[in-house]
Structures are given as C-alpha cells and as structure tokens.
C-alpha cells in the first residue's frame, strides 16, 4: 500500500520542489544585486502578460510536450531514452525532405505527409538502439546518447553538402514552399473574433501536441499493448512469465518514443523556421526528460510541465533582455528546477511520506 496519497505524489511533491527551486533562484538573484520579486513579475508578464508572450510560451511548450511524451513512453517500459535530441534532429530532416519534395498546394495536405516523414525518421533513428538493447543487451542510455552526436553529424553533412541551395553560404535548406506554411494561433483564433499576436510562432502544432497527449494516454491505459508495456516496465521477469515478449516491448516502445520526438519538427522546422537549419532542436530533447519526470510520466502532467518550462524559456528571455541579468543565470534557474523535480525528487518525497505515515499511525491510534 502506498504511504502517500496519489494527489500528494502528483501535486504536492512537484509543488514543493518548485518552491525550493525558485527560492534558491531568488537567493542567487539577490546575490548579484537584483530584486527577485521584480524578476518574477517580469518573467510572468513576459510569458503570460500578452498574446505575444503566450505565443512564445506555447511554442516552446509544444516542443517539450512531444519530447516529454517520447521520454514518458520509454520510461513506462523502464527505458531511459536520452536520445530525443537526435531523434528530433532526424525528424526535422524527414519533415524537410517531405516539404521540399513537392509543390504542396495547401498546408492541410502537406501537414499529414510531414508528420509521417518526421515520425518515420525519428522512429528509424530510435530503432537501432532499441534493437541493440533487445537483441544484444546494449544499454539504451549509451546507444541513444551516442546517436545524438551521430544525428547531429548527419544533419550537418546533409545541410552543407546536399540540401544547401547553390550559391548560398548558410548551412540550411531552401525555404519551404508557401503551401507548407502552417496556420498560427492568430490565424486559427481570428475567425472566432479572438485577437492573438500575429508575430508569435505558436501554431497548429500545439493542438496536435495536445492530441498526442490524449492518444498516448489512450495507448498506455486503454489498450492491451499499453498494459503489456507498463507490466514489462514494472517487472520484466513477471512480464516474461505472463507471456509478454521483452524484445517486442523494447522495440515498439522505442519506435513510438522516437516517432514522438520526430513529430516535434512540425513545430520548430515546418511551423516556425519554414526551412531546416542547424541545431533546430535547441536542447528540447533533454528538457523533455525533466518535463516527463516532473509530469510523473503522465500525459496530463507532461502537458502542464511543458507549459511551465515554456514559461521559464520565454520569461527567462524577457528577464535577460530587460533586467541585464546574464543569460547564464537563466540557465541556472532552469537547471535548479530540473535538479529539484528530477534528481532531488526523493529529498522532497521522503519527508512528505514520513508526515503522511505519522498521520496514518496517529489516526489508527485514535480509533
């Protein structure tokens, strides 16, 4: 029987972790002679105080939802997929090849094809590490992190030697056809009379990310494969005894995980840049790990944690712009949130468990 109620694990532990992270961040800001209260106000205003801020917050959150879901699916199978960065990188290549292949007449036709391209390339990049884990026992952490570097090298080669337009010095692909331009939230909300900044990059990919959350939840908790995946993650020996194939679970879970990472490219490559550039992922694959850990590997938790990290990214950019706070300090704040919600989770969890255990014992003694 769990010592702590479910609501405490899902809400109380992350909340206290966040308070600790922001408390230490406030001390750091004080240490450089700035006002932490003013800094928080500026971050909140910059991220949520206008539709422009919301647009960037949701744009970043969209990336983190896809990579967070990717890590969560693998994590339910007891695998630490640290390769979302490389899988999203190759997903971008898949999206770019699809977008440049044809003179697409409309985004509604181009988007499904680009989604398939991004998911296939991301899944393909996850396949070999999955196969090595399933058939050769190679540790998934080692192989996926190595594939991150290989993926970056592949993208660099493709942009410099294959996809770069003739005469261009910029290591980037050609601009995608106009028919692939995705509608922004401004375009989507305008027919309903809702004003939204036309300069913000948030686009229809955010709605697709929310749909992905629902589909992942459906897969994990409402399908036979999802049950097998979670059973394998809890106990491999018990799953084998029940007739579940470890190789099947490892490979399929990693293919789904890689596909979700690859889907991120419809947001940052197709939706924002509208061409493929170097380092388009910008660390979102690694942030997805923290998002999934903070969201307890549940799609709803992943979506909420992704919005929090979107706030940190957009609010941090505003903070660096208007308060002359070094950009490195923003990274420190983000790192503290990751540290407390991930690595130091048990530091918060164990005292809370002791409190609930004491309350339970006192309640029994009083009966």
């Amino acid at each position: 029987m769990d010592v702590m109620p479910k609501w405490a694990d899902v809400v109380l532990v992350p909340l206290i972790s966040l308070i600790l992270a922001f408390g230490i961040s406030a001390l750091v800001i004080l240490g450089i002679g700035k006002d932490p209260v003013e800094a928080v106000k500026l971050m909140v205003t910059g991220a949520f105080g206008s539709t422009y801020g919301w647009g960037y917050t949701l744009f970043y959150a969209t990336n983190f939802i896809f990579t967070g879901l990717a890590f969560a699916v693998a994590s339910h199978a007891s695998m630490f997929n640290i390769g979302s960065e490389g899988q999203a990188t190759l997903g971008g290549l898949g999206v770019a090849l699809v977008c440049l292949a044809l003179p697409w007449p409309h985004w509604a036709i181009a988007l499904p094809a680009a989604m398939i391209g991004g998911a296939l390339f991301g899944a393909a990049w996850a396949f070999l590490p999955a196969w090595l884990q399933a058939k050769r026992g190679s540790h998934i952490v080692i192989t996926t992190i190595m594939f991150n570097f290989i993926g970056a090298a592949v993208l660099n080669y493709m942009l410099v030697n294959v996809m770069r337009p003739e005469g261009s010095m910029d290591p980037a692909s050609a601009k995608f056809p106009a028919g692939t331009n995705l509608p922004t939230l401004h375009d989507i909300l305008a027919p309903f009379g809702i004003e939204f900044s036309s300069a913000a990059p948030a686009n229809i990919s955010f709605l697709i990310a929310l749909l992905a959350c629902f589909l992942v939840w459906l897969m994990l908790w409402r399908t036979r494969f999802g049950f097998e995946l979670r059973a394998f993650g809890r106990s491999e020996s018990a799953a084998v005894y029940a007739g579940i194939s470890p190789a099947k679970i490892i490979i399929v879970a990693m293919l789904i995980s890689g596909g979700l990472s690859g889907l991120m490219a419809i947001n940052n490559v197709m939706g924002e840049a509208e061409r493929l550039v170097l380092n388009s992922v910008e660390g979102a694959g690694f942030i997805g790990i923290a998002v999934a850990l903070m969201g307890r590997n549940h799609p709803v938790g992943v979506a909420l944690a992704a919005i929090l990290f979107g706030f940190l990214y957009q609010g941090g950019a505003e903070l660096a712009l208007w308060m002359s706070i070094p950009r490195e300090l923003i990274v420190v704040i983000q790192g503290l949130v990751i540290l407390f919600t991930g690595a130091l989770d048990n530091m918060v969890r164990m005292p809370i468990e002791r409190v609930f255990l004491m309350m339970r014992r006192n309640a029994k003694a009083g009966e």
Side-chain angles (χ1 to χ4, degrees), residues 160-178:
V160 171
N161 298 289
V162 180
M163 302 177 71
R164 181 163 55 96
E166 188 175 350
S168 172
M169 298 300 292
D170 187 16
S173 73
K175 198 78 171 175
F176 296 163

Side-chain angles (χ1 to χ4, degrees), residues 124-215:
W125 205 244
F127 172 74
L128 191 53
W131 184 86
L132 290 171
Q133 165 95 8
K135 300 297 185 180
R136 293 291 182 265
S138 302
H139 202 288
I140 201 75
V141 171
I142 304 300
T143 53
T144 51
I145 200 167
M146 289 173 64
F147 267 61
N148 285 339
F149 293 103
I150 299 171
V154 169
L155 180 64
N156 186 74
Y157 173 82
M158 290 294 294
L159 289 180
V160 171
N161 298 289
V162 180
M163 302 177 71
R164 181 163 55 96
E166 188 175 350
S168 172
M169 298 300 292
D170 187 16
S173 73
K175 198 78 171 175
F176 296 163
T180 65
N181 295 350
L182 297 182
T184 63
L185 290 188
H186 167 78
D187 302 323
I188 295 170
L189 296 175
F192 301 98
I194 302 173
E195 293 185 5
F196 201 90
S197 173
S198 59
N203 56 76
I204 197 172
S205 302
F206 176 67
L207 303 181
I208 296 172
L210 295 181
L211 177 62
C213 288
F214 173 72
L215 293 177

